[in-house]
Coordinates of all heavy atoms in Angstrom, one line a residue:
R1 N 241.8 156.0 -192.3 CA 241.8 157.5 -192.5 C 242.2 157.8 -194.0 O 241.7 158.7 -194.6 CB 242.7 158.1 -191.5 CG 242.7 159.7 -191.6 CD 243.3 160.3 -190.4 NE 242.4 160.1 -189.2 CZ 242.8 159.6 -188.1 NH1 244.1 159.3 -187.9 NH2 242.0 159.5 -187.0
K2 N 243.1 157.1 -194.5 CA 243.6 157.3 -195.8 C 242.5 157.1 -196.8 O 242.3 157.9 -197.8 CB 244.8 156.4 -196.2 CG 245.4 156.6 -197.6 CD 246.5 155.6 -197.8 CE 247.1 155.8 -199.2 NZ 248.3 154.9 -199.4
E3 N 241.7 156.0 -196.6 CA 240.5 155.7 -197.5 C 239.5 156.8 -197.4 O 238.8 157.2 -198.3 CB 240.0 154.4 -197.2 CG 240.9 153.2 -197.5 CD 240.4 151.9 -197.0 OE1 239.6 151.9 -196.0 OE2 240.7 150.8 -197.6
R4 N 239.3 157.4 -196.2 CA 238.3 158.4 -195.9 C 238.7 159.7 -196.7 O 237.8 160.3 -197.3 CB 238.3 158.7 -194.4 CG 237.0 159.4 -193.9 CD 237.1 159.5 -192.4 NE 237.1 158.1 -191.8 CZ 236.0 157.4 -191.6 NH1 234.8 157.8 -192.0 NH2 236.1 156.2 -191.0
Y5 N 240.0 160.0 -196.7 CA 240.4 161.2 -197.4 C 240.2 161.0 -198.9 O 239.7 161.9 -199.6 CB 241.9 161.4 -197.2 CG 242.2 162.3 -196.0 CD1 242.4 161.7 -194.7 CD2 242.3 163.7 -196.1 CE1 242.7 162.5 -193.6 CE2 242.6 164.5 -195.0 CZ 242.8 163.9 -193.8 OH 243.0 164.7 -192.7
K6 N 240.5 159.8 -199.4 CA 240.3 159.5 -200.9 C 238.8 159.6 -201.2 O 238.4 160.1 -202.3 CB 240.8 158.1 -201.2 CG 240.8 157.9 -202.7 CD 241.4 156.5 -203.1 CE 241.4 156.4 -204.6 NZ 240.2 156.6 -205.3
F7 N 237.9 159.1 -200.3 CA 236.5 159.1 -200.6 C 236.0 160.5 -200.7 O 235.3 160.9 -201.6 CB 235.7 158.4 -199.4 CG 234.3 158.2 -199.7 CD1 233.8 156.9 -200.2 CD2 233.4 159.2 -199.5 CE1 232.5 156.7 -200.4 CE2 232.0 159.0 -199.7 CZ 231.6 157.7 -200.2
L8 N 236.4 161.4 -199.8 CA 236.0 162.8 -199.8 C 236.6 163.5 -201.0 O 235.9 164.3 -201.7 CB 236.5 163.5 -198.5 CG 235.5 163.6 -197.4 CD1 235.2 162.2 -196.8 CD2 236.0 164.6 -196.3
T9 N 237.8 163.3 -201.3 CA 238.5 163.9 -202.4 C 237.8 163.6 -203.8 O 237.5 164.4 -204.6 CB 240.0 163.6 -202.5 OG1 240.6 164.0 -201.3 CG2 240.6 164.2 -203.7
D10 N 237.5 162.3 -203.9 CA 236.9 161.8 -205.2 C 235.5 162.5 -205.3 O 235.1 162.9 -206.4 CB 236.8 160.3 -205.2 CG 238.1 159.6 -205.4 OD1 239.1 160.3 -205.7 OD2 238.2 158.4 -205.1
Y11 N 234.8 162.5 -204.2 CA 233.4 163.1 -204.3 C 233.5 164.6 -204.6 O 232.8 165.0 -205.6 CB 232.7 162.9 -202.9 CG 231.4 163.7 -202.9 CD1 230.2 163.1 -203.4 CD2 231.3 165.0 -202.3 CE1 229.0 163.8 -203.4 CE2 230.1 165.7 -202.3 CZ 229.0 165.1 -202.8 OH 227.8 165.8 -202.8
F12 N 234.3 165.3 -203.9 CA 234.3 166.8 -204.1 C 234.9 167.2 -205.5 O 234.5 168.2 -206.1 CB 235.1 167.5 -203.0 CG 234.3 167.6 -201.8 CD1 234.8 167.1 -200.5 CD2 233.1 168.3 -201.8 CE1 234.0 167.3 -199.4 CE2 232.4 168.5 -200.6 CZ 232.8 168.0 -199.4
L13 N 235.9 166.4 -206.0 CA 236.4 166.7 -207.3 C 235.4 166.5 -208.4 O 235.4 167.3 -209.4 CB 237.6 165.7 -207.6 CG 238.9 166.1 -206.9 CD1 240.0 165.0 -207.2 CD2 239.5 167.4 -207.4
K14 N 234.4 165.6 -208.1 CA 233.4 165.5 -209.1 C 232.2 166.5 -208.9 O 231.7 167.0 -209.9 CB 232.8 164.0 -209.0 CG 231.6 163.7 -209.9 CD 231.1 162.3 -209.7 CE 229.9 162.0 -210.6 NZ 229.4 160.7 -210.4
E15 N 231.9 166.7 -207.7 CA 230.7 167.5 -207.4 C 231.0 169.0 -207.2 O 230.1 169.9 -207.3 CB 230.0 167.0 -206.2 CG 229.5 165.6 -206.3 CD 228.4 165.4 -207.4 OE1 227.7 166.4 -207.7 OE2 228.4 164.3 -208.0
M16 N 232.2 169.3 -206.8 CA 232.6 170.7 -206.4 C 234.0 171.0 -206.9 O 234.8 171.4 -206.1 CB 232.4 170.9 -204.9 CG 232.2 172.4 -204.5 SD 232.0 172.5 -202.7 CE 230.6 171.6 -202.4
P17 N 234.3 170.8 -208.2 CA 235.7 170.9 -208.6 C 236.3 172.4 -208.5 O 237.5 172.5 -208.5 CB 235.6 170.5 -210.1 CG 234.2 170.8 -210.5 CD 233.4 170.5 -209.3
D18 N 235.4 173.4 -208.6 CA 235.9 174.7 -208.6 C 235.5 175.5 -207.4 O 235.3 176.7 -207.4 CB 235.4 175.5 -209.8 CG 235.8 174.8 -211.1 OD1 236.9 174.4 -211.3 OD2 234.9 174.6 -212.0
A19 N 235.5 174.8 -206.2 CA 235.1 175.5 -205.0 C 236.1 176.7 -204.7 O 237.3 176.6 -204.9 CB 235.2 174.5 -203.8
N20 N 235.5 177.7 -204.2 CA 236.3 178.9 -203.9 C 235.6 179.7 -202.7 O 234.5 179.3 -202.3 CB 236.4 179.8 -205.1 CG 237.7 180.6 -205.1 OD1 238.2 181.0 -204.0 ND2 238.3 180.8 -206.2
T21 N 236.2 180.8 -202.3 CA 235.6 181.6 -201.2 C 234.3 182.2 -201.7 O 234.1 182.5 -202.8 CB 236.6 182.6 -200.8 OG1 236.0 183.4 -199.7 CG2 237.0 183.6 -201.9
E22 N 233.4 182.4 -200.7 CA 232.2 183.1 -201.0 C 232.3 184.6 -200.8 O 231.3 185.4 -201.0 CB 231.1 182.5 -200.1 CG 230.7 181.1 -200.5 CD 229.5 180.5 -199.7 OE1 229.5 180.7 -198.5 OE2 228.6 180.0 -200.4
L23 N 233.5 185.1 -200.3 CA 233.7 186.5 -200.2 C 233.9 187.2 -201.5 O 234.4 186.6 -202.5 CB 235.0 186.7 -199.3 CG 234.9 186.3 -197.9 CD1 236.3 186.4 -197.2 CD2 233.9 187.2 -197.1
H24 N 233.4 188.4 -201.6 CA 233.5 189.2 -202.9 C 234.7 190.1 -202.9 O 234.8 190.9 -201.9 CB 232.2 189.9 -203.1 CG 231.0 189.1 -203.2 ND1 229.7 189.6 -203.1 CD2 230.8 187.7 -203.4 CE1 228.8 188.6 -203.3 NE2 229.5 187.5 -203.4
Y25 N 235.5 190.1 -203.9 CA 236.7 191.0 -203.9 C 237.2 191.1 -205.4 O 236.9 190.3 -206.2 CB 237.8 190.4 -203.0 CG 238.3 189.1 -203.5 CD1 239.5 189.0 -204.3 CD2 237.6 187.9 -203.2 CE1 239.9 187.7 -204.7 CE2 238.1 186.6 -203.7 CZ 239.3 186.6 -204.4 OH 239.7 185.4 -204.9

């Protein structure tokens, strides 16, 4: 599970570093 979290984190930090809500405000 620890490796799974690292895999996801590494991927998203590279591909989606500035992810945020899609709501407008």
Side-chain angles (χ1 to χ4, degrees):
R1 183 165 290 127
K2 182 178 180 180
E3 291 171 335
R4 201 174 297 279
Y5 273 91
K6 187 178 186 306
F7 189 97
L8 265 69
T9 298
D10 289 346
Y11 172 83
F12 281 124
L13 281 175
K14 180 180 178 182
E15 300 297 332
M16 204 182 295
D18 301 316
N20 209 324
T21 179
E22 293 186 312
L23 293 170
H24 299 163
Y25 64 98

